[in-house]
Amino acid sequence: MYIQKRNLNQLLTALVCVLLILSACSERNATKSHDDSAAKENNYEEQIREALDTDPNRILQIIDSLENCKAIEEYKMLYYRAQAYYKLGQELTAELYYKKALSNDDLYLDRPARYYYACDQLSTILTCKGDQLGSIDIATKGYAKARDDQSDDGRHWGAILLHDIGYCQMRLDRIDEAEKSFHQAYATLKEMCITDSSFNRVNGWARVAYNILDAYTSTGHYKEATQWIPSAEEAIRRMANLHDCPPNVAEEYLGSLNTHKAIIYIKTDHKREANEAYQEFMNSSYAKTSFGLIDNSEYLLEAERWSERADLIPQLDSLTKSWDMPMSFYYLATYMVPNFNAALNSGRTSQALQIAKQIAENIDSVNNYESQHNAAELAIVYETQEKERQIEEQRAQLSYQRMAALAAVLLASVLFLAVFIYFRHRAAMKLEEKNRELELKNCELTVANARAEDSSRMKTNFIQQISHEIRTPLNILSGFTQVLTASGLELDDATRQEANEKIMENTKRITGLVNKMLELSDINSQAVIEMTDDVTPAEIAAKAASDSGIVSAAHIQFDLKIDDNIGEQVRIHTNERQAVRTLELLLDNAQKFTKQGRVVLSVGKTQDGFVAFSVEDTGIGVPAYEAERIFGEFVQLDEYYDGTGIGLAVARSIARRLGGDVKLDINYANGARFVMTLPLT
């Protein structure tokens, strides 16, 4: 009985393991699939973002290629197409794609901010088109979701969509409701910009402030609009002063703000202020852009400067043709009719008749387009209903899929038992393999212990060398101090001068040793060295030579060579003190290991954009196989020479943190040549 119970427990344990393994595999596969999908999405989204402001037609090409290979979800494809057509000035086509993208919650479930943005764009298009009821419906739909979103993005987009609702309320002559919507949206965005001054936040505030002013202006409430001018100016100028605000965005907002001010002032009989605002607009670079041309034409219409407005007709015709705008009632009302009024009121009767003839001739085209557009809208409604039916069918299939999943789990359990036996056999083989690996690790540990002992020996030698390096100058200082302070002893000037020189020399020797000890603690530091100096390579070389004392060394013939391609015009951005210190350490090393001979410091540019400082000597040299070991801490290849074994390690550490390096040239055979490189920029 006990054996049977134990076997049963083992079987249950195995089944639990199966379920855990299946779950883990599923999660890993899902994670991998999600990561791959996210990588692809980031790739094409980056391409789309790059093309959005420069070449919207390229966005359509990218989407077509992605759609052909089924590499993009439908709702994303619709969203990007809507953006591209809106940028191309084809608002009515963009309207259809935005409606399709918003026909379900796929966009919202993927990225809520994109959903809010699409609602805002579609509301704007419908408002311009004159469909205020449709606009307020879509803005309210987006606002309802954003209002429940407690994130900063939710509050931000909620305020923007609320201002869209207010704009529609103003157009529907619901002034009091619009006032409340505007004040709440403006206050929310202004409050958010106090704690978050990023461009996206402040740009949203500026856009809402500008649109509120536009809502009053476009509906003829000019007196009320004057009260919003300071608010719009505050938000727009705050945005324009941001360091990351694109210049064209700032120019567009400021230029369009001036045309609105000019319209408000001319309608409220403030002609001087109107002329000043209009003149400021005309002096801006924005006035010469396509959107500046449209703003200019709107002001001239409102100011009833018919002749000047009529002069703009050829430019406006050329602009609308470049945008490839479809022949619709929106096009007639926005461009053709204002052109007709300008020509007629300026006395250009023949031109007015020609425009009227164009309007009459295009009526059939307008009707055809509107019919197709309405049919496309009905198709969207049908597609939405069809998708809802498909969702119901998917729910009906869910129970069947669950049963199939259960059967799959049972089958997997049987397979697991077979796999369990197989892997148990493999585990024994792996154990044997692990034993062999353990033996190898033991060998590696033996080598590591030997290296540790070698390191300990080097540190012991270092401490002994330090003791010697400190005692020698201290003894000299002590001796000369006793001589100079002895009572009754008179020294001639030459002797006193020699004593002073010896004291200064050994004091400097101890100071240098202390500095090296401090630098030793910084060898492995990852701290960033501030690089705020612009200096020529020649200045670094000259100062290092002077500080090292090699110029005046009696046993060294020192030469400094500067290549012709290094002049006063070549400067490097670095930390001068640290760069000089690194080169000084290399010169000290050359001086130390060259008992009698020549040291040459050469400065030149490399082909890969670096400045190379080459220090070559005729000393004892370094074997090629020790080329990397000599940069280790406490390493001295010849213990009969004075030194601490840390100079080269410190030099390489500083050089690398300056963006360069220090290396030994193993091809140099007449001594040793060390090369320090620093980046030119």
Side-chain angles (χ1 to χ4, degrees):
M1 178 66 72
Y2 174 77
I3 295 175
Q4 292 176 349
K5 184 179 293 185
R6 184 178 63 182
N7 291 337
L8 180 59
N9 288 335
Q10 290 178 347
L11 180 59
L12 291 174
T13 302
L15 289 174
V16 171
C17 292
V18 168
L19 295 176
L20 291 175
I21 291 172
L22 289 174
S23 175
C25 292
S26 175
E27 289 177 1
R28 284 198 296 271
N29 292 334
T31 301
K32 183 178 184 302
S33 176
H34 179 270
D35 291 344
D36 293 344
S37 176
K40 292 179 181 178
E41 180 177 347
N42 290 335
N43 183 37
Y44 70 68
E45 285 192 347
E46 183 177 351
Q47 298 178 45
I48 289 173
R49 280 196 300 271
E50 291 175 355
L52 192 59
D53 293 324
T54 57
D55 187 7
N57 281 309
R58 183 164 167 262
I59 298 176
L60 299 176
Q61 296 172 1
I62 294 171
I63 295 171
D64 286 341
S65 62
L66 291 169
E67 189 177 11
N68 289 337
C69 61
K70 301 186 183 304
I72 182 174
E73 293 88 343
E74 183 183 10
Y75 66 91
K76 290 182 183 178
M77 178 270 294
L78 296 169
Y79 171 78
Y80 289 130
R81 284 193 187 279
Q83 280 192 299
Y85 281 115
Y86 188 81
K87 284 289 184 179
L88 289 168
Q90 300 180 32
E91 287 89 351
L92 296 180
T93 305
E95 173 194 346
L96 291 177
Y97 281 107
Y98 273 130
K99 285 182 176 178
K100 288 183 179 181
L102 295 171
S103 63
N104 55 46
D105 283 346
D106 288 346
L107 191 61
Y108 175 76
L109 295 174
D110 179 44
R111 295 191 187 179
R114 281 186 179 170
Y115 178 85
Y116 303 144
Y117 174 81
C119 289
D120 170 58
Q121 288 290 89
L122 180 54
S123 176
T124 301
I125 293 171
L126 294 175
T127 298
C128 295
K129 182 182 171 183
D131 183 6
Q132 307 306 326
L133 294 177
S135 176
I136 201 171
D137 180 64
I138 195 67
T140 302
K141 179 182 176 183
Y143 177 67
K145 289 184 180 294
R147 186 176 52 194
D148 296 333
D149 187 345
Q150 299 303 314
S151 68
D152 286 345
D153 277 347
R155 291 184 61 207
H156 174 86
W157 282 108
I160 290 177
L161 290 165
L162 181 60
H163 115 279
D164 288 334
I165 294 171
Y167 203 106
C168 297
Q169 291 168 336
M170 182 67 73
R171 289 292 184 93
L172 294 170
D173 204 28
R174 291 152 55 179
I175 310 301
D176 292 340
E177 296 176 30
E179 284 275 355
K180 293 179 182 178
S181 299
F182 286 154
H183 280 289
Q184 183 179 339
Y186 182 88
T188 299
L189 291 171
K190 183 176 181 179
E191 179 187 353
M192 293 187 72
C193 290
I194 294 175
T195 56
D196 183 355
S197 58
S198 63
F199 172 72
N200 286 337
R201 289 283 183 262
V202 181
N203 180 52
W205 177 33
R207 180 193 158 207
V208 165
Y210 168 82
N211 284 344
I212 292 173
L213 189 67
D214 181 73
Y216 283 98
T217 306
S218 62
T219 55
H221 294 82
Y222 303 110
K223 183 177 179 181
E224 294 83 349
T226 58
Q227 301 174 6
W228 281 93
I229 289 177
S231 299
E233 287 182 329
E234 177 188 6
I236 290 172
R237 295 195 185 281
R238 170 83 175 276
M239 180 199 67
N241 290 331
L242 292 176
H243 70 278
D244 56 345
C245 177
N248 62 311
V249 174
E251 291 169 1
E252 180 177 340
Y253 269 96
L254 291 170
S256 195
L257 175 63
N258 278 318
T259 58
H260 277 69
K261 287 167 61 177
I263 292 173
I264 294 168
Y265 288 138
I266 201 71
K267 292 296 185 180
T268 55
D269 203 25
H270 293 79
K271 295 182 179 179
R272 181 179 61 81
E273 291 86 346
N275 287 333
E276 289 176 355
Y278 180 66
Q279 193 58 47
E280 187 175 351
F281 160 74
M282 291 300 293
N283 291 336
S284 68
S285 57
Y286 171 67
K288 301 176 179 61
T289 66
S290 300
F291 292 112
L293 173 64
I294 293 174
D295 279 1
N296 189 18
S297 67
E298 289 179 358
Y299 169 74
L300 294 175
L301 280 175
E302 294 294 337
E304 298 182 0
R305 294 164 64 166
W306 304 112
S307 181
E308 294 175 66
R309 173 60 176 80
D311 290 340
L312 299 180
I313 291 176
Q315 298 178 54
L316 290 168
D317 286 344
S318 177
L319 178 62
T320 55
K321 288 179 181 177
S322 69
W323 284 347
D324 194 23
M325 295 186 66
M327 192 59 63
S328 62
F329 286 119
Y330 172 77
Y331 176 80
L332 294 181
T334 306
Y335 296 101
M336 297 293 286
V337 173
N339 286 348
F340 171 79
N341 290 332
L344 183 64
N345 287 302
S346 62
R348 306 180 188 184
T349 308
S350 60
Q351 187 178 16
L353 289 174
Q354 184 179 0
I355 295 172
K357 183 179 179 182
Q358 291 176 356
I359 294 174
E361 289 175 347
N362 286 311
I363 289 297
D364 289 339
S365 298
V366 169
N367 286 328
N368 289 335
Y369 179 81
E370 293 292 337
S371 298
Q372 294 173 1
H373 188 75
N374 292 335
E377 287 187 317
L378 289 175
I380 293 172
V381 174
Y382 174 79
E383 288 178 6
T384 303
Q385 295 174 344
E386 181 65 18
K387 286 179 180 178
E388 291 176 351
R389 184 185 63 80
Q390 292 175 357
I391 291 172
E392 290 299 325
E393 291 179 353
Q394 291 172 358
R395 288 174 179 171
Q397 294 175 356
L398 184 59
S399 59
Y400 171 79
Q401 292 174 355
R402 287 175 178 170
M403 293 297 295
L406 179 59
V409 169
L410 293 175
L411 177 60
S413 301
V414 175
L415 291 175
F416 170 78
L417 294 176
V419 171
F420 177 77
I421 297 172
Y422 168 76
F423 278 103
R424 187 174 181 180
H425 174 68
R426 287 196 58 183
M429 297 178 63
K430 285 186 177 181
L431 181 60
E432 184 179 350
E433 183 180 349
K434 289 294 182 180
N435 289 332
R436 289 195 297 269
E437 291 178 359
L438 184 59
E439 293 176 359
L440 180 61
K441 291 292 183 181
N442 288 333
C443 293
E444 293 175 354
L445 184 59
T446 302
V447 174
N449 286 335
R451 290 178 179 174
E453 292 175 0
D454 186 48
S455 175
S456 177
R457 181 187 61 79
M458 288 191 296
K459 289 182 180 179
T460 301
N461 292 341
F462 169 77
I463 293 172
Q464 294 173 351
Q465 187 67 34
I466 286 293
S467 299
H468 171 73
E469 290 282 336
I470 291 177
R471 278 199 301 268
T472 300
L474 282 178
N475 290 335
I476 294 173
L477 288 173
S478 176
F480 277 107
T481 302
Q482 293 175 14
V483 170
L484 292 175
T485 58
S487 59
L489 181 63
E490 294 184 0
L491 301 175
D492 56 51
D493 291 338
T495 302
R496 187 177 297 276
Q497 178 66 26
E498 181 183 0
N500 287 336
E501 289 176 357
K502 289 294 183 179
I503 290 173
M504 293 299 294
E505 176 184 341
N506 285 277
T507 300
K508 182 177 179 181
R509 184 175 176 183
I510 292 177
T511 302
L513 183 60
V514 172
N515 288 337
K516 280 188 177 181
M517 292 292 293
L518 293 174
E519 289 169 336
L520 174 62
S521 66
D522 203 38
I523 284 180
N524 297 316
S525 173
Q526 299 298 320
V528 176
I529 297 177
E530 291 186 2
M531 293 185 280
T532 57
D533 302 320
D534 290 309
V535 61
T536 65
E539 290 172 345
I540 293 175
K543 185 164 178 53
S546 175
D547 291 352
S548 68
I550 198 170
V551 177
S552 58
H555 67 289
I556 297 293
Q557 178 186 346
F558 176 73
D559 289 328
L560 174 61
K561 297 181 180 181
I562 309 294
D563 284 1
D564 294 336
N565 60 0
I566 297 288
E568 288 297 323
Q569 72 279 9
V570 176
R571 307 183 77 84
I572 59 177
H573 187 72
T574 187
N575 185 303
E576 181 181 4
R577 183 176 66 83
Q578 296 288 4
V580 169
R581 177 58 179 160
T582 305
L583 190 55
E584 179 187 353
L585 289 170
L586 297 181
L587 291 171
D588 284 343
N589 185 73
Q591 185 176 350
K592 185 188 306 178
F593 293 99
T594 305
K595 293 298 185 183
Q596 189 74 34
R598 184 165 179 255
V599 175
V600 178
L601 171 57
S602 304
V603 184
K605 285 197 294 187
T606 67
Q607 295 181 350
D608 53 353
F610 284 77
V611 175
F613 299 85
S614 174
V615 178
E616 60 182 49
D617 60 57
T618 57
I620 62 174
V622 179
Y625 63 86
E626 299 281 10
E628 283 301 313
R629 181 170 174 267
I630 56 172
F631 290 101
E633 301 170 20
F634 318 125
V635 175
Q636 283 186 277
L637 301 184
D638 192 332
E639 297 179 357
Y640 292 97
Y641 282 78
D642 292 337
T644 59
I646 61 175
L648 292 177
V650 171
R652 171 174 277 189
S653 173
I654 297 174
R656 287 182 173 177
R657 284 189 285 154
L658 291 174
D661 205 350
V662 174
K663 294 182 178 180
L664 174 70
D665 185 356
I666 60 175
N667 297 318
Y668 184 73
N670 297 324
R673 176 190 286 148
F674 289 89
V675 180
M676 178 183 79
T677 56
L678 292 176
L680 274 171
T681 56

